[in-house]
mmCIF file of all heavy atoms in Angstrom:
data_model
loop_
_atom_site.group_PDB
_atom_site.id
_atom_site.type_symbol
_atom_site.label_atom_id
_atom_site.label_comp_id
_atom_site.label_asym_id
_atom_site.label_seq_id
_atom_site.Cartn_x
_atom_site.Cartn_y
_atom_site.Cartn_z
ATOM 1 N N LEU Q 1 -9.295 12.090 20.719
ATOM 2 C CA LEU Q 1 -8.361 13.056 21.271
ATOM 3 C C LEU Q 1 -9.088 13.860 22.393
ATOM 4 O O LEU Q 1 -10.224 14.335 22.111
ATOM 5 C CB LEU Q 1 -7.889 14.014 20.216
ATOM 6 C CG LEU Q 1 -7.044 15.225 20.631
ATOM 7 C CD1 LEU Q 1 -5.669 14.757 21.272
ATOM 8 C CD2 LEU Q 1 -6.758 16.121 19.435
ATOM 9 N N VAL Q 2 -8.499 13.950 23.536
ATOM 10 C CA VAL Q 2 -9.158 14.685 24.615
ATOM 11 C C VAL Q 2 -8.072 15.420 25.413
ATOM 12 O O VAL Q 2 -6.876 15.057 25.438
ATOM 13 C CB VAL Q 2 -9.873 13.730 25.540
ATOM 14 C CG1 VAL Q 2 -8.886 12.693 26.247
ATOM 15 C CG2 VAL Q 2 -10.727 14.406 26.536
ATOM 16 N N GLN Q 3 -8.439 16.512 26.002
ATOM 17 C CA GLN Q 3 -7.496 17.331 26.816
ATOM 18 C C GLN Q 3 -7.311 16.703 28.169
ATOM 19 O O GLN Q 3 -8.170 16.020 28.681
ATOM 20 C CB GLN Q 3 -7.955 18.756 26.963
ATOM 21 C CG GLN Q 3 -7.901 19.588 25.639
ATOM 22 C CD GLN Q 3 -8.201 21.003 25.875
ATOM 23 O OE1 GLN Q 3 -8.941 21.314 26.769
ATOM 24 N NE2 GLN Q 3 -7.668 21.947 25.115
ATOM 25 N N ALA Q 4 -6.223 16.943 28.742
ATOM 26 C CA ALA Q 4 -5.929 16.453 30.155
ATOM 27 C C ALA Q 4 -7.051 16.907 31.056
ATOM 28 O O ALA Q 4 -7.508 18.107 30.997
ATOM 29 C CB ALA Q 4 -4.620 16.977 30.620
ATOM 30 N N GLY Q 5 -7.440 15.983 31.922
ATOM 31 C CA GLY Q 5 -8.594 16.258 32.769
ATOM 32 C C GLY Q 5 -9.938 15.850 32.189
ATOM 33 O O GLY Q 5 -10.915 15.827 32.959
ATOM 34 N N GLY Q 6 -9.964 15.510 30.986
ATOM 35 C CA GLY Q 6 -11.246 15.173 30.331
ATOM 36 C C GLY Q 6 -11.603 13.752 30.449
ATOM 37 O O GLY Q 6 -10.894 12.938 31.209
ATOM 38 N N SER Q 7 -12.702 13.301 29.828
ATOM 39 C CA SER Q 7 -13.213 12.004 29.969
ATOM 40 C C SER Q 7 -13.520 11.393 28.637
ATOM 41 O O SER Q 7 -13.784 12.041 27.610
ATOM 42 C CB SER Q 7 -14.526 12.003 30.788
ATOM 43 O OG SER Q 7 -14.334 12.571 32.098
ATOM 44 N N LEU Q 8 -13.514 10.006 28.600
ATOM 45 C CA LEU Q 8 -13.927 9.310 27.360
ATOM 46 C C LEU Q 8 -14.563 7.977 27.898
ATOM 47 O O LEU Q 8 -14.225 7.469 28.951
ATOM 48 C CB LEU Q 8 -12.694 8.957 26.468
ATOM 49 C CG LEU Q 8 -12.146 10.009 25.578
ATOM 50 C CD1 LEU Q 8 -10.878 9.451 24.890
ATOM 51 C CD2 LEU Q 8 -13.128 10.436 24.523
ATOM 52 N N ARG Q 9 -15.429 7.443 27.002
ATOM 53 C CA ARG Q 9 -15.935 6.121 27.256
ATOM 54 C C ARG Q 9 -15.638 5.189 26.084
ATOM 55 O O ARG Q 9 -15.946 5.570 24.953
ATOM 56 C CB ARG Q 9 -17.477 6.133 27.502
ATOM 57 C CG ARG Q 9 -17.942 4.796 28.044
ATOM 58 C CD ARG Q 9 -19.454 4.746 28.104
ATOM 59 N NE ARG Q 9 -20.043 4.409 26.802
ATOM 60 C CZ ARG Q 9 -21.338 4.240 26.600
ATOM 61 N NH1 ARG Q 9 -22.190 4.391 27.622
ATOM 62 N NH2 ARG Q 9 -21.786 3.880 25.386
ATOM 63 N N LEU Q 10 -15.005 4.118 26.348
ATOM 64 C CA LEU Q 10 -14.718 3.105 25.319
ATOM 65 C C LEU Q 10 -15.803 2.006 25.360
ATOM 66 O O LEU Q 10 -16.181 1.598 26.449
ATOM 67 C CB LEU Q 10 -13.359 2.510 25.484
ATOM 68 C CG LEU Q 10 -12.207 3.480 25.588
ATOM 69 C CD1 LEU Q 10 -10.855 2.700 25.739
ATOM 70 C CD2 LEU Q 10 -12.146 4.407 24.405
ATOM 71 N N ASP Q 11 -16.181 1.581 24.181
ATOM 72 C CA ASP Q 11 -17.105 0.472 24.109
ATOM 73 C C ASP Q 11 -16.473 -0.721 23.411
ATOM 74 O O ASP Q 11 -15.595 -0.498 22.536
ATOM 75 C CB ASP Q 11 -18.394 0.848 23.330
ATOM 76 C CG ASP Q 11 -19.226 1.906 24.019
ATOM 77 O OD1 ASP Q 11 -18.846 2.420 25.045
ATOM 78 O OD2 ASP Q 11 -20.295 2.203 23.349
ATOM 79 N N CYS Q 12 -16.783 -1.950 23.710
ATOM 80 C CA CYS Q 12 -16.337 -3.145 23.022
ATOM 81 C C CYS Q 12 -17.507 -4.016 22.762
ATOM 82 O O CYS Q 12 -18.036 -4.596 23.800
ATOM 83 C CB CYS Q 12 -15.288 -3.841 23.860
ATOM 84 S SG CYS Q 12 -14.757 -5.441 23.155
ATOM 85 N N ALA Q 13 -17.921 -4.174 21.536
ATOM 86 C CA ALA Q 13 -19.007 -4.983 21.170
ATOM 87 C C ALA Q 13 -18.499 -6.436 20.855
ATOM 88 O O ALA Q 13 -17.618 -6.537 19.960
ATOM 89 C CB ALA Q 13 -19.782 -4.378 19.997
ATOM 90 N N ALA Q 14 -19.072 -7.414 21.450
ATOM 91 C CA ALA Q 14 -18.666 -8.768 21.226
ATOM 92 C C ALA Q 14 -19.731 -9.472 20.395
ATOM 93 O O ALA Q 14 -20.863 -9.298 20.637
ATOM 94 C CB ALA Q 14 -18.443 -9.548 22.529
ATOM 95 N N SER Q 15 -19.314 -10.316 19.512
ATOM 96 C CA SER Q 15 -20.281 -11.124 18.698
ATOM 97 C C SER Q 15 -19.620 -12.453 18.261
ATOM 98 O O SER Q 15 -18.372 -12.638 18.396
ATOM 99 C CB SER Q 15 -20.680 -10.333 17.455
ATOM 100 O OG SER Q 15 -19.534 -10.103 16.650
ATOM 101 N N GLY Q 16 -20.459 -13.350 17.722
ATOM 102 C CA GLY Q 16 -20.003 -14.557 17.121
ATOM 103 C C GLY Q 16 -19.443 -15.567 18.051
ATOM 104 O O GLY Q 16 -18.235 -15.798 18.123
ATOM 105 N N GLY Q 17 -20.309 -16.273 18.777
ATOM 106 C CA GLY Q 17 -19.859 -17.453 19.606
ATOM 107 C C GLY Q 17 -19.595 -17.033 21.030
ATOM 108 O O GLY Q 17 -19.089 -17.918 21.789
ATOM 109 N N THR Q 18 -20.014 -15.882 21.458
ATOM 110 C CA THR Q 18 -19.971 -15.586 22.885
ATOM 111 C C THR Q 18 -21.358 -15.267 23.341
ATOM 112 O O THR Q 18 -22.123 -14.552 22.621
ATOM 113 C CB THR Q 18 -18.971 -14.331 23.139
ATOM 114 O OG1 THR Q 18 -19.141 -13.948 24.502
ATOM 115 C CG2 THR Q 18 -19.391 -13.196 22.299
ATOM 116 N N SER Q 19 -21.719 -15.727 24.569
ATOM 117 C CA SER Q 19 -22.997 -15.504 25.129
ATOM 118 C C SER Q 19 -23.087 -14.379 26.062
ATOM 119 O O SER Q 19 -24.087 -14.129 26.679
ATOM 120 C CB SER Q 19 -23.389 -16.834 25.874
ATOM 121 O OG SER Q 19 -22.477 -17.066 26.904
ATOM 122 N N GLY Q 20 -21.961 -13.610 26.206
ATOM 123 C CA GLY Q 20 -21.942 -12.535 27.098
ATOM 124 C C GLY Q 20 -21.604 -12.941 28.505
ATOM 125 O O GLY Q 20 -21.813 -12.116 29.480
ATOM 126 N N THR Q 21 -21.115 -14.142 28.664
ATOM 127 C CA THR Q 21 -20.840 -14.616 30.048
ATOM 128 C C THR Q 21 -19.345 -15.011 30.155
ATOM 129 O O THR Q 21 -19.041 -15.969 30.919
ATOM 130 C CB THR Q 21 -21.738 -15.853 30.380
ATOM 131 O OG1 THR Q 21 -21.512 -16.915 29.406
ATOM 132 C CG2 THR Q 21 -23.195 -15.453 30.378
ATOM 133 N N ASN Q 22 -18.502 -14.370 29.444
ATOM 134 C CA ASN Q 22 -17.075 -14.606 29.547
ATOM 135 C C ASN Q 22 -16.418 -13.523 30.375
ATOM 136 O O ASN Q 22 -16.869 -12.412 30.338
ATOM 137 C CB ASN Q 22 -16.449 -14.632 28.193
ATOM 138 C CG ASN Q 22 -16.952 -15.750 27.234
ATOM 139 O OD1 ASN Q 22 -17.865 -15.514 26.473
ATOM 140 N ND2 ASN Q 22 -16.376 -16.949 27.548
ATOM 141 N N ASP Q 23 -15.314 -13.882 30.957
ATOM 142 C CA ASP Q 23 -14.484 -12.876 31.632
ATOM 143 C C ASP Q 23 -13.874 -11.961 30.601
ATOM 144 O O ASP Q 23 -13.322 -12.525 29.561
ATOM 145 C CB ASP Q 23 -13.455 -13.515 32.502
ATOM 146 C CG ASP Q 23 -14.020 -14.313 33.692
ATOM 147 O OD1 ASP Q 23 -15.162 -14.002 34.070
ATOM 148 O OD2 ASP Q 23 -13.272 -15.086 34.272
ATOM 149 N N MET Q 24 -13.905 -10.655 30.827
ATOM 150 C CA MET Q 24 -13.273 -9.759 29.818
ATOM 151 C C MET Q 24 -12.456 -8.720 30.524
ATOM 152 O O MET Q 24 -12.541 -8.479 31.717
ATOM 153 C CB MET Q 24 -14.477 -9.120 29.079
ATOM 154 C CG MET Q 24 -15.272 -10.037 28.245
ATOM 155 S SD MET Q 24 -16.526 -9.235 27.148
ATOM 156 C CE MET Q 24 -15.441 -8.557 25.907
ATOM 157 N N ALA Q 25 -11.664 -8.015 29.691
ATOM 158 C CA ALA Q 25 -10.721 -7.029 30.218
ATOM 159 C C ALA Q 25 -10.387 -5.971 29.228
ATOM 160 O O ALA Q 25 -10.624 -6.159 27.956
ATOM 161 C CB ALA Q 25 -9.478 -7.718 30.748
ATOM 162 N N TRP Q 26 -9.782 -4.904 29.739
ATOM 163 C CA TRP Q 26 -9.131 -3.921 28.879
ATOM 164 C C TRP Q 26 -7.674 -3.876 29.181
ATOM 165 O O TRP Q 26 -7.225 -3.967 30.297
ATOM 166 C CB TRP Q 26 -9.748 -2.492 29.216
ATOM 167 C CG TRP Q 26 -11.115 -2.358 28.753
ATOM 168 C CD1 TRP Q 26 -12.265 -2.424 29.512
ATOM 169 C CD2 TRP Q 26 -11.575 -1.888 27.507
ATOM 170 N NE1 TRP Q 26 -13.374 -2.107 28.804
ATOM 171 C CE2 TRP Q 26 -12.970 -1.828 27.533
ATOM 172 C CE3 TRP Q 26 -10.925 -1.570 26.336
ATOM 173 C CZ2 TRP Q 26 -13.757 -1.411 26.411
ATOM 174 C CZ3 TRP Q 26 -11.704 -1.228 25.206
ATOM 175 C CH2 TRP Q 26 -13.134 -1.124 25.234
ATOM 176 N N PHE Q 27 -6.874 -3.768 28.069
ATOM 177 C CA PHE Q 27 -5.446 -3.550 28.162
ATOM 178 C C PHE Q 27 -5.118 -2.370 27.350
ATOM 179 O O PHE Q 27 -5.907 -1.832 26.546
ATOM 180 C CB PHE Q 27 -4.737 -4.799 27.557
ATOM 181 C CG PHE Q 27 -4.771 -6.049 28.380
ATOM 182 C CD1 PHE Q 27 -5.886 -6.795 28.431
ATOM 183 C CD2 PHE Q 27 -3.646 -6.382 29.185
ATOM 184 C CE1 PHE Q 27 -5.980 -7.901 29.253
ATOM 185 C CE2 PHE Q 27 -3.723 -7.576 29.948
ATOM 186 C CZ PHE Q 27 -4.885 -8.296 29.992
ATOM 187 N N ARG Q 28 -3.886 -1.870 27.472
ATOM 188 C CA ARG Q 28 -3.538 -0.672 26.662
ATOM 189 C C ARG Q 28 -1.976 -0.842 26.327
ATOM 190 O O ARG Q 28 -1.199 -1.456 27.046
ATOM 191 C CB ARG Q 28 -3.739 0.655 27.393
ATOM 192 C CG ARG Q 28 -2.853 0.922 28.516
ATOM 193 C CD ARG Q 28 -3.345 2.211 29.248
ATOM 194 N NE ARG Q 28 -2.341 2.632 30.255
ATOM 195 C CZ ARG Q 28 -2.554 3.698 31.074
ATOM 196 N NH1 ARG Q 28 -3.738 4.444 30.978
ATOM 197 N NH2 ARG Q 28 -1.629 4.074 31.932
ATOM 198 N N GLN Q 29 -1.699 -0.252 25.152
ATOM 199 C CA GLN Q 29 -0.316 -0.340 24.734
ATOM 200 C C GLN Q 29 0.094 1.019 24.221
ATOM 201 O O GLN Q 29 -0.427 1.567 23.243
ATOM 202 C CB GLN Q 29 -0.125 -1.356 23.662
ATOM 203 C CG GLN Q 29 1.260 -1.647 23.261
ATOM 204 C CD GLN Q 29 1.368 -2.904 22.378
ATOM 205 O OE1 GLN Q 29 0.437 -3.459 21.877
ATOM 206 N NE2 GLN Q 29 2.583 -3.456 22.361
ATOM 207 N N SER Q 30 1.193 1.611 24.850
ATOM 208 C CA SER Q 30 1.730 2.817 24.392
ATOM 209 C C SER Q 30 2.870 2.552 23.408
ATOM 210 O O SER Q 30 3.381 1.433 23.383
ATOM 211 C CB SER Q 30 2.291 3.635 25.582
ATOM 212 O OG SER Q 30 1.296 3.881 26.571
ATOM 213 N N SER Q 31 3.219 3.524 22.615
ATOM 214 C CA SER Q 31 4.236 3.303 21.604
ATOM 215 C C SER Q 31 5.548 2.862 22.178
ATOM 216 O O SER Q 31 6.002 3.409 23.153
ATOM 217 C CB SER Q 31 4.462 4.617 20.823
ATOM 218 O OG SER Q 31 5.452 4.491 19.860
ATOM 219 N N GLY Q 32 6.058 1.723 21.682
ATOM 220 C CA GLY Q 32 7.301 1.222 22.187
ATOM 221 C C GLY Q 32 7.257 0.440 23.505
ATOM 222 O O GLY Q 32 8.330 0.039 23.946
ATOM 223 N N LYS Q 33 6.088 0.207 24.045
ATOM 224 C CA LYS Q 33 5.940 -0.399 25.320
ATOM 225 C C LYS Q 33 5.118 -1.703 25.166
ATOM 226 O O LYS Q 33 4.431 -1.884 24.182
ATOM 227 C CB LYS Q 33 5.324 0.515 26.308
ATOM 228 C CG LYS Q 33 6.130 1.750 26.628
ATOM 229 C CD LYS Q 33 5.504 2.583 27.785
ATOM 230 C CE LYS Q 33 6.382 3.818 28.026
ATOM 231 N NZ LYS Q 33 5.828 4.614 29.113
ATOM 232 N N GLU Q 34 5.173 -2.485 26.220
ATOM 233 C CA GLU Q 34 4.324 -3.703 26.277
ATOM 234 C C GLU Q 34 2.868 -3.404 26.456
ATOM 235 O O GLU Q 34 2.544 -2.315 26.975
ATOM 236 C CB GLU Q 34 4.847 -4.679 27.345
ATOM 237 C CG GLU Q 34 6.270 -5.228 27.041
ATOM 238 C CD GLU Q 34 6.665 -6.271 28.066
ATOM 239 O OE1 GLU Q 34 5.929 -6.359 29.034
ATOM 240 O OE2 GLU Q 34 7.606 -6.989 27.802
ATOM 241 N N ARG Q 35 2.080 -4.387 26.169
ATOM 242 C CA ARG Q 35 0.625 -4.248 26.464
ATOM 243 C C ARG Q 35 0.363 -4.468 27.888
ATOM 244 O O ARG Q 35 0.645 -5.507 28.415
ATOM 245 C CB ARG Q 35 -0.168 -5.192 25.563
ATOM 246 C CG ARG Q 35 -1.665 -4.947 25.509
ATOM 247 C CD ARG Q 35 -2.316 -5.777 24.461
ATOM 248 N NE ARG Q 35 -1.837 -5.477 23.117
ATOM 249 C CZ ARG Q 35 -2.348 -5.913 21.952
ATOM 250 N NH1 ARG Q 35 -3.396 -6.763 22.045
ATOM 251 N NH2 ARG Q 35 -1.805 -5.612 20.802
#
């Protein structure tokens, strides 16, 4: 939870069969909406 105007950093740790050389992305999904 953050106030408007604030900042956050998201991390995504990958493991198990990936060498760290894959294309990756972030998506988001709001309630009742598509990703």
Side-chain angles (χ1 to χ4, degrees):
L1 174 64
V2 64
Q3 288 187 332
S7 300
L8 281 175
R9 191 188 82 176
L10 305 182
D11 295 3
C12 173
S15 62
T18 172
S19 60
T21 60
N22 297 97
D23 294 342
M24 297 186 72
W26 289 97
F27 287 76
R28 71 185 189 184
Q29 188 167 18
S30 304
S31 179
K33 297 184 179 180
E34 293 188 348
R35 192 169 297 188

